[in-house]
């Protein structure tokens, strides 16, 4: 007999938050008691209680509640915080977290039955006075939360109180969500609630003030129906996993080594060859490594297995049978088993991290710790019908390119003879297969990448024959022109199919292998023909290269007393609205070999896609345009499309991200309207649509504040002017300062410290925790650092360094007292030292190198060397009139890295 828990009894406490301006009066206590009873509240958090040590609890006690106080006793009037906790709620005061400098109370609460995903509720009640030290208070709050969540990583956090004008960016990035959206004092939101369990609560209600206080009461009520709907947790979800049994792999390898592919080699049709090849592969896989079906529930942890669930059933049965001894033994066994399974699971994930790289590990950890929810697109379906939703999404994705004409077949070149340079050898195919990433998703053929990698020795020859047949006849097999499209949300909770989804195509792994050969041959033909300021999808170029280049020109312009008018162009559905005929025509103009153009024509024409959501799949639809996002050739073909885009000013491209920079000398007027109009005309001829809502302009320079009347408008589309813009992942401000960017990366890195605590709780070793920190958290603080490191202030450097200090406190149990000495002991560098080394390495490899795309930025070399100089100076110095320019990357590097 399996006993199901009574989910309707699971609950979280309802909470009241307000500033009372002295609770020491009978009518205020009576009023509070009335509010509590009317709203079934379990916790009341009050600020500015105005109580002193000589005021007894009897004066403010409420029947059925325990009073918890933290008074202000430094002689100043006012202040103090107070909490009432219902006697029915198990609660413990965390007095060790309190300090005299911050007025706060911390409570650890728990009901007998809690929701499965919440182990405890941490309630923090805080009063921040108007003249308080904001930086110290935020640091104190983060330190308290770190200490509590290290011990209770699955606790729900409710941080509330009167925060006045406290800068809460670091708190929100913890990550916590501020959920009070209505004014609590006049037109201001001063009484706030930050939480990580907002899904379990209704939107806060605003009630009238208590007594003579001018602060409204905030009521946070638990959603009663949320617990009942938790029965969704019992929804069965089948998981299909192919066996990886070593014995089966051995038998499969033996079968492949003995199989005779003679029938395939006799064929002269690549479609027939591929169908025969897939039939053999699928038969062998299903025979030796069959697919197993595992049943999972919606709320089940990823480390739960069938044995663990059986132990749970036995424990429940022992409880129902009132066999106390057996129940206790099974209870302890369940706890030990859970700890072991969790530790092993996280250990395997760490191992896969070291094999797969930080990007794959980060995605896995996000899924493990519950940060990425499956079926997050259910918000797009009003009736919950996911099958219909897949159809609707697929129809929209197809409609984006429906206005484009299919490929003009007259553009397909005739090819009589295929040169030997376009013949692929088996060893080349084997090298490609061996280097496949086994962790990447497969396409519609449902054959995992580890199969191609592990059995590449026996698969290389038949695949090589299929590849050469495809190139020789200029035909791409039909199944390689099909894609499973995964709609990736652009926002946390998408609400509109047309705006909030991005299609990522999962194509066949074998198709991408063949595309890599074709792409390399095309790149060889394009050498020297691509735009020098195209930094995307090309070897030896990256976002950092473009950022260093564009910021150098901006700094130099401002140093010469010029202004910069930058326009950041966003193309709507750039990859999804590509005209195939235009692309093929431009490939011909660039001198690409006809045999490759013929193959590209087959690759582009007749492409099909279907949308896949979990186990739901839509029907196949044929596309008349677009390039599949996720294929090897997609970015390369798009580079050809946008290659001839030019403008009458400095223009930088990163694939489709286009930035126009007009340098305006002092006393001159802007010509950006004409420049932008030329770009619009080019876009129209190439059937590319500019998204005017996301296209922004920014004036750079201190003198630009007086130019508000110069509005940029093209075809009745007004370009919005901004003071900061996120360019290729970094926040650039109009004054070229880095306050916004430092705040952004610190907030993002701080939110990831939560996962470090979860892994710490799962008994990972210190080495593994450090590896996770270095792979998933530290890179956030170092992304594109050559572009901004040299311009940081001392305070910004300290702000970034504080993230590493917090991480080390989590990993080493708060033993990080002397930070720099601690880093030396554990062979770590401070983040400032690491960024300095990264900048030096970037300068040596990507600027000094004669073949680098940034080498042209260097000044002329010195003809003679001055013997009196202590160090050899290779290049002539660049004179800077402003400190801002002298701290830019290139000048800083020339002064410090030569």
């Amino acid at each position: 007999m399996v006993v199901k828990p009574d989910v309707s009894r699971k609950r979280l406490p309802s909470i009241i938050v307000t500033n009372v301006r002295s609770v020491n009066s009978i009518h205020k206590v009576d009023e509070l008691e009335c509010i509590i009873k009317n709203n079934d509240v379990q916790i009341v958090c009050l600020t500015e209680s105005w109580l002193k040590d000589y005021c007894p609890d009897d004066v403010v006690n409420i029947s059925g509640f325990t009073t918890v106080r933290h008074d202000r006793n430094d002689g100043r009037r006012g202040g103090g915080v107070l909490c009432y906790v219902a006697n029915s709620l198990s609660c413990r005061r965390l007095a060790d977290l309190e300090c005299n400098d911050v007025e706060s109370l911390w409570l650890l609460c728990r009901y007998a039955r809690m929701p499965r995903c919440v182990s405890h509720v941490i309630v923090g009640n805080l009063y921040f006075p108007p003249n308080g030290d904001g930086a110290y208070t935020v640091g104190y709050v983060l330190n308290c939360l770190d200490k509590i969540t290290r011990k209770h990583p699955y606790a729900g956090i409710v941080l509330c109180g009167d925060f006045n004008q406290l800068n809460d960016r670091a708190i929100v990035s913890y990550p916590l969500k501020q959920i009070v959206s209505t004014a609590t004092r006049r037109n201001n939101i001063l009484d706030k609630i930050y939480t990580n369990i907002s899904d379990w609560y209704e939107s806060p209600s605003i009630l009238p003030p208590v007594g003579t206080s001018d602060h409204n009461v905030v009521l946070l009520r638990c959603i009663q129906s949320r617990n009942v709907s938790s029965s969704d947790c019992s929804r069965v979800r089948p998981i299909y996993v192919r066996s990886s049994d070593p014995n089966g792999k051995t038998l499969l390898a033996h079968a492949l080594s003995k199989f005779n592919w003679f029938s395939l080699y006799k064929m002269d049709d690549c479609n027939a060859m591929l169908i025969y090849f897939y039939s053999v592969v699928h038969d062998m896989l299903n025979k030796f490594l069959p697919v197993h079906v595992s049943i999972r529930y919606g709320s089940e942890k990823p480390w739960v297995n069938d044995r663990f669930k059986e132990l749970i059933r036995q424990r429940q049965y022992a409880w129902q049978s009132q066999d106390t001894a057996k129940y206790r033994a099974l209870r302890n066994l369940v706890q030990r088993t859970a700890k072991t399974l969790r530790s092993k699971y996280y250990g395997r994930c760490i191992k896969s991290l070291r094999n797969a790289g930080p990007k794959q590990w980060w995605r896995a950890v996000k899924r493990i710790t519950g940060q990425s929810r499956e079926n997050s697109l259910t918000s797009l379906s009003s009736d919950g019908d996911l099958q219909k939703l897949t159809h609707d999404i697929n129809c929209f994705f197809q409609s984006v390119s429906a206005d484009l004409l299919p490929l003009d077949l007259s553009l397909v070149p005739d090819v009589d003879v295929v040169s030997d340079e376009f013949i692929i050898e088996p060893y080349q195919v084997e090298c490609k297969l061996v280097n496949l990433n086994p962790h990447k998703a497969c396409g519609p053929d449902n054959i995992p990448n580890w199969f191609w990698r592990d059995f590449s020795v026996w698969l290389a020859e038949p695949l090589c024959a299929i590849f050469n047949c495809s190139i020789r006849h200029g035909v791409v097999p039909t199944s390689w022109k099909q894609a499973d499209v995964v709609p990736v949300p652009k926002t946390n909770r998408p609400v509109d199919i047309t705006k909030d989804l991005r299609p990522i195509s999962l194509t066949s792994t074998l198709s991408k292998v063949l595309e890599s050969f074709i792409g390399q041959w095309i790149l060889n033909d394009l050498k020297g023909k691509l735009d020098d300021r195209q930094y995307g999808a090309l070897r030896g170029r990256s976002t950092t290269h473009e950022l260093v280049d564009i910021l150098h020109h901006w700094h130099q312009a401002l140093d010469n007393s010029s202004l910069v008018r930058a326009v950041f162009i966003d193309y709507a559905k750039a990859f999804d609205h590509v005209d195939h005929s235009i692309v093929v025509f431009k490939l011909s103009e660039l001198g690409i070999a006809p045999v490759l153009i013929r193959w590209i024509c087959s690759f582009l024409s007749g492409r099909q896609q279907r949308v896949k959501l979990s186990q739901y799949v839509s029907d196949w639809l044929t596309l008349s345009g677009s390039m599949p996002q996720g294929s090897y050739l997609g970015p390369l073909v798009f580079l050809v499309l946008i290659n001839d885009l030019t403008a009458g000013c400095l223009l930088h491209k990163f694939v489709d991200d286009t930035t126009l920079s007009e340098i305006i000398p002092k006393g001159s007027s802007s010509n950006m309207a004409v420049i932008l109009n030329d770009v619009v005309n080019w876009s129209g001829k190439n059937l590319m649509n500019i998204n005017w809502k996301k296209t922004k302009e920014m004036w750079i320079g201190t003198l630009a504040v007086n130019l508000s009347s110069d509005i940029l408008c093209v075809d009745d589309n007004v370009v919005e002017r901004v003071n900061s813009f996120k360019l290729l992942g970094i926040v650039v401000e109009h004054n070229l300062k880095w306050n916004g960017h430092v705040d952004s990366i610190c907030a993002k890195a701080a939110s990831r410290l939560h996962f470090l605590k979860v892994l710490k709780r799962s008994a990972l070793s210190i080495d593994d925790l450090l590896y996770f920190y270095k792979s998933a958290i530290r890179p956030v603080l170092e992304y594109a650092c050559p572009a901004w490191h040299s311009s940081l202030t001392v305070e910004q450097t300290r702000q970034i360094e504080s993230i590493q200090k917090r991480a080390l406190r989590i990993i080493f149990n708060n033993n990080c007292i002397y930070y720099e000495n601690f880093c030396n002991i554990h062979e770590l560098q401070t983040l400032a030292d690491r960024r300095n080394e990264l900048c030096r390495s970037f300068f040596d490899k990507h600027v000094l190198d004669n073949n680098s795309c940034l080498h042209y930025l260097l000044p002329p070399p010195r003809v003679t060397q001055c013997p009196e100089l202590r160090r050899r100076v290779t290049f002539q110095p660049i004179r800077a009139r402003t400190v801002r320019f002298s701290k830019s990357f290139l000048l800083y590097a020339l002064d410090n890295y030569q």
Side-chain angles (χ1 to χ4, degrees), residues 602-661:
S602 177
F603 176 78
L604 294 176
S605 60
R607 296 199 66 86
Q608 292 182 313
Q609 70 175 29
R610 65 182 181 183
V611 168
K612 190 173 183 179
L613 289 177
S614 188
Q615 68 267 33
Y616 300 96
V617 181
S618 69
D619 296 330
W620 292 105
L621 293 179
T622 302
L623 303 173
S624 55
S626 86
M627 284 301 301
Q629 297 188 54
S631 64
Y632 183 93
L633 283 176
L636 180 57
V637 171
F638 192 88
L639 295 190
V640 172
L641 175 64
I642 204 172
N643 186 60
D644 58 349
L645 170 59
T646 58
C649 68
L650 194 64
L651 185 147
H652 290 80
K653 308 173 193 170
F654 192 87
V655 191
D656 61 317
D657 289 330
T658 304
T659 303
L660 305 176
S661 303

Side-chain angles (χ1 to χ4, degrees), residues 656-698:
D656 61 317
D657 289 330
T658 304
T659 303
L660 305 176
S661 303
E662 182 191 13
I663 298 175
I664 308 170
K666 189 175 181 179
S668 301
S669 58
S670 172
N671 197 36
M672 181 57 76
V674 176
I675 296 171
L676 187 57
N677 191 63
D678 292 341
V679 174
V680 171
N681 292 335
W682 178 93
S683 302
K685 291 178 182 178
N686 289 272
L687 303 181
M688 296 179 64
N689 303 317
I690 295 178
N691 185 347
W692 293 105
K693 290 184 178 179
K694 292 185 178 180
T695 297
K696 310 292 182 185
E697 73 156 324
M698 184 168 69

Side-chain angles (χ1 to χ4, degrees), residues 7-15 39-43 89 109-123 154-158 195-202 220-227 230:
V7 266
S8 62
R9 292 176 55 197
K10 295 183 177 182
R11 61 184 303 199
L12 294 177
S14 295
I15 302 171
N39 295 284
D40 189 24
V41 174
Q42 289 76 46
I43 299 178
L89 177 62
C109 309
R110 178 176 172 80
Y111 278 114
R113 297 193 64 80
M114 298 281 288
R116 181 178 298 181
C117 57
V118 182
S119 62
H120 298 76
V121 174
I122 300 166
V123 178
Y154 301 108
I157 299 171
V158 179
T195 181
N196 62 348
I197 48 174
S198 58
D199 291 345
W200 290 87
Y201 285 98
E202 298 175 359
L220 183 64
R221 194 194 303 271
C222 177
I223 301 176
Q224 300 299 329
S225 61
R226 175 69 172 86
N227 292 329
S230 301

Side-chain angles (χ1 to χ4, degrees), residues 395-410:
C395 289
F396 167 69
F397 286 159
Q398 184 206 31
S399 68
V400 173
S401 60
D403 61 320
L404 301 177
L405 296 175
L407 176 66
D408 183 0
L409 298 180
S410 64

Side-chain angles (χ1 to χ4, degrees), residues 169 173 726 729-731 738-751 780-781 799:
R169 178 153 191 164
S173 67
K726 194 167 188 177
I730 73 169
V731 179
W738 299 104
N739 303 73
H741 179 66
V742 171
D743 287 344
S744 175
I745 61 174
C746 287
K748 187 175 181 180
S751 67
V780 174
L781 304 170
Q799 186 179 350

